[in-house]
């Protein structure tokens, strides 16, 4: 299981996004949180910023759409330069069709689950996805404390993935740091979104390396 670290630019300096993106060029993906003030009570950045960022960095963009009506908007994020597009199960009207559309446009299709959304009802849909995102905080704000009660859900998701023999990445997002990443890795996650743990560090690139090393060691157990 190859471990991946995706720094979240939600914790970066928005006035210096291009520089902040380049500061973590050893990362696997750059996680871009798109919020619309409808699905979540916050407004961040949208398609024009994604388009600009895709030209400013070599790191592929992992766009997490915390938006209403992703069926309408998600495919356009692939055109804007995203290499992976995550929509929320709670917001998508036709998740299978949407995942197929994202894949057809050439990006990885991912689906996110809020903390209260169980993974089991989506078991049959997993083969349509490239990644499943288990939110370990309520979506909408950066800097929240990790919810330990999500660890059993990560384990159950990993069991379902393994049961079907899927090559499906399992991502966690929310409160991931040096003190929580090992627990997530032991539970079965292999893709880690880290915001303040990376951008709050003196050397963001070194923080990425350290987190990757920690997660890889925990996965190896």
């Amino acid at each position: 299981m190859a471990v991946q670290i995706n720094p979240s630019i939600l914790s970066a300096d928005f006035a210096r996004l291009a520089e902040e993106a380049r500061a973590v060029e050893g990362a696997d993906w750059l996680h871009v949180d798109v919020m619309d003030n409808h699905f979540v009570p916050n407004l961040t950045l949208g398609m024009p910023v994604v388009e600009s960022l895709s030209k400013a960095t070599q790191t592929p963009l992992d766009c997490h759409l915390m938006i209403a009506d992703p069926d309408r908007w998600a495919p356009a994020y692939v055109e804007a330069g995203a290499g992976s597009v995550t929509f929320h199960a709670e917001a998508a009207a036709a998740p299978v069709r949407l995942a197929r559309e994202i894949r057809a446009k050439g990006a990885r299709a991912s689906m996110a689950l809020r903390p209260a959304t169980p993974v089991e009802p989506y078991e049959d849909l997993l083969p349509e996805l490239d990644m499943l995102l288990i939110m370990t905080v309520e979506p909408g704000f950066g800097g929240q404390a990790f919810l330990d009660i999500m660890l059993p859900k990560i384990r159950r998701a990993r069991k379902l993935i393994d049961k079907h023999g899927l090559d499906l990445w399992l991502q966690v997002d929310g409160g991931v740091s040096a003190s929580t990443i090992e627990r997530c890795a032991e539970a079965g996650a292999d893709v880690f979104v880290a915001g303040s743990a990376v951008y709050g560090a003196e050397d963001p690139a070194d923080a990425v390396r350290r987190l990757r090393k920690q997660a890889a060691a925990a996965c190896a157990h």
Side-chain angles (χ1 to χ4, degrees):
M1 187 159 73
V3 162
Q4 300 183 62
I5 305 295
N6 302 12
S8 168
I9 61 161
L10 187 62
S11 300
D13 179 351
F14 274 27
R16 301 168 44 246
L17 275 187
E19 286 165 64
E20 294 280 65
R22 285 192 286 271
V24 292
E25 287 209 320
D28 299 279
W29 295 78
L30 192 62
H31 191 80
V32 183
D33 288 302
V34 177
M35 306 182 197
D36 65 353
N37 205 21
H38 293 288
F39 180 68
V40 289
N42 203 349
L43 190 64
T44 54
L45 37 81
M47 226 169 299
V49 176
V50 170
E51 215 166 315
S52 300
L53 263 179
S54 71
K55 293 172 186 145
T57 177
Q58 298 299 304
T59 311
L61 303 184
D62 165 33
C63 283
H64 177 191
L65 307 183
M66 289 169 264
I67 63 172
D69 200 9
D71 303 73
R72 179 182 174 191
W73 297 109
Y77 278 87
V78 184
E79 288 160 24
S84 175
V85 177
T86 302
F87 58 88
H88 267 265
E90 305 87 358
V96 171
R97 187 176 66 204
L98 180 55
R100 288 181 178 180
E101 202 177 336
I102 291 167
R103 281 174 152 183
K105 285 189 176 290
R108 295 179 64 87
S110 169
M111 187 176 75
L113 304 175
R114 296 179 94 137
T117 305
V119 66
E120 288 77 8
Y122 297 98
E123 180 177 352
D124 293 342
L125 195 152
L126 295 179
E128 299 289 338
L129 303 170
D130 298 296
M131 183 167 75
L132 179 69
L133 165 54
I134 305 288
M135 291 297 297
T136 42
V137 297
E138 282 296 339
F141 295 92
Q144 295 182 70
F146 178 80
L147 294 173
D148 272 64
I149 53 166
M150 290 298 107
L151 290 168
K153 182 173 166 183
I154 297 167
R155 285 191 197 97
R156 293 196 305 274
R158 172 51 63 195
K159 273 191 181 141
L160 290 177
I161 292 165
D162 292 348
K163 173 183 160 186
H164 294 282
L166 300 172
D167 181 20
L168 178 67
W169 297 349
L170 183 55
Q171 185 180 60
V172 286
D173 178 6
V176 175
S177 67
S179 60
T180 59
I181 195 165
E182 288 173 21
R183 278 175 280 164
C184 295
E186 283 160 4
D190 51 6
V191 183
F192 306 88
V193 176
S196 33
V198 170
Y199 280 112
E202 212 165 290
D203 181 344
D206 185 53
V208 169
R209 286 191 290 274
R210 285 168 183 267
L211 288 168
R212 189 186 282 120
K213 199 174 170 184
Q214 262 189 290
C219 281
H221 287 164

